[in-house]
Amino acid sequence: NAGVTQTPKFQVLKTGQSMTLQCAQDMNHEYMSWYRQDPGMGLRLIHYSVGAGITDQGEVPNGYNVSRSTTEDFPLRLLSAAPSQTSVYFCASSYSRAGNTGELFFGEGSRLTVL
Amino acid sequence: AQTVTQSQPEMSVQEAETVTLSCTYDTSESDYYLFWYKQPPSRQMILVIRQEAYKQQNATENRFSVNFQKAAKSFSLKISDSQLGDAAMYFCAYRRRSGGSNYKLTFGKGTLLTVNP
């Protein structure tokens, strides 16, 4: 049971570089999302998608792009990395329909450092 | 907008004793979920317990139980017979159960629990 798979688990970037965090889920979940975790801030929503071809912004979207071409995949792109984007990133997914358990299933997280 | 507040940044407990972590939330909705997630040093987010707001009975999962006070908008987590493996960051989270914005989990800032041997 793979669940939610995120890659890479660790990455170091230089300011201005670009990169993509990959996320894939095999549970046929409609809803997928990206959160960032910073000390003392909890988890904050970056972008989310409620289905293939549909994405929208969360609380802290600036500096990040997403796309959802398939149900399974939801990559997060940093176009020009900044030190403020140093964080731990989580991909999470769930069913979006009411009446389900409501639980979000998380990937293992990706620690990104921008120098 | 919904908010979730965890007023205890850090807590500690002796092994085998009981500890309660506090959480309050603010919402105008009546139909929602509340969760406690555990994040050990491995960084993995692990669901500890879930409560549906329409259920009056408090959820329990083995040594973990909640005290859900809907009118007071309070959702505390009690850990009984604490074990060293319970040491982790604990996050309280809220999610609408239906309607718009039901995709989103709103998290508190977390409580770091230390278990002393």
Side-chain angles (χ1 to χ4, degrees), chain B residues 12-110:
Chain B
S12 64
V13 64
Q14 291 297 125
E15 196 175 4
E17 295 193 344
T18 295
V19 64
T20 298
L21 308 184
S22 300
C23 174
T24 59
Y25 59 96
D26 186 24
T27 184
S28 58
E29 304 294 327
S30 60
D31 193 13
Y32 50 86
Y33 301 100
L34 294 164
F35 305 90
W36 280 97
Y37 279 88
K38 169 185 177 181
Q39 187 181 44
S42 68
R43 199 170 66 202
Q44 181 69 43
M45 294 290 287
I46 302 165
L47 180 66
V48 174
I49 202 163
R50 175 183 61 244
Q51 176 79 42
E52 289 153 303
Y54 70 88
K55 292 186 177 178
Q56 293 186 344
Q57 186 172 7
N58 289 326
T60 61
E61 289 287 343
N62 301 315
R63 297 182 295 106
F64 298 87
S65 61
V66 298
N67 184 4
F68 173 47
Q69 302 289 329
K70 190 172 183 179
K73 297 179 182 175
S74 171
F75 184 61
S76 60
L77 175 69
K78 186 171 81 171
I79 306 174
S80 304
D81 186 25
S82 297
Q83 301 176 359
L84 295 178
D86 295 333
M89 181 72 83
Y90 286 82
F91 291 99
C92 179
Y94 164 99
R95 183 179 190 178
R96 285 182 68 171
R97 193 164 179 266
S98 62
S101 306
N102 72 323
Y103 51 85
K104 176 185 174 182
L105 243 64
T106 300
F107 288 88
K109 294 184 178 181

Side-chain angles (χ1 to χ4, degrees), chain A residues 13 16-20 63-65 76-82 85:
Chain A
L13 289 177
Q17 287 185 318
S18 63
M19 77 156 298
T20 300
Y64 308 95
N65 276 357
L76 179 71
R77 298 182 185 87
L78 284 71
L79 299 178
S80 179
Q85 294 178 302

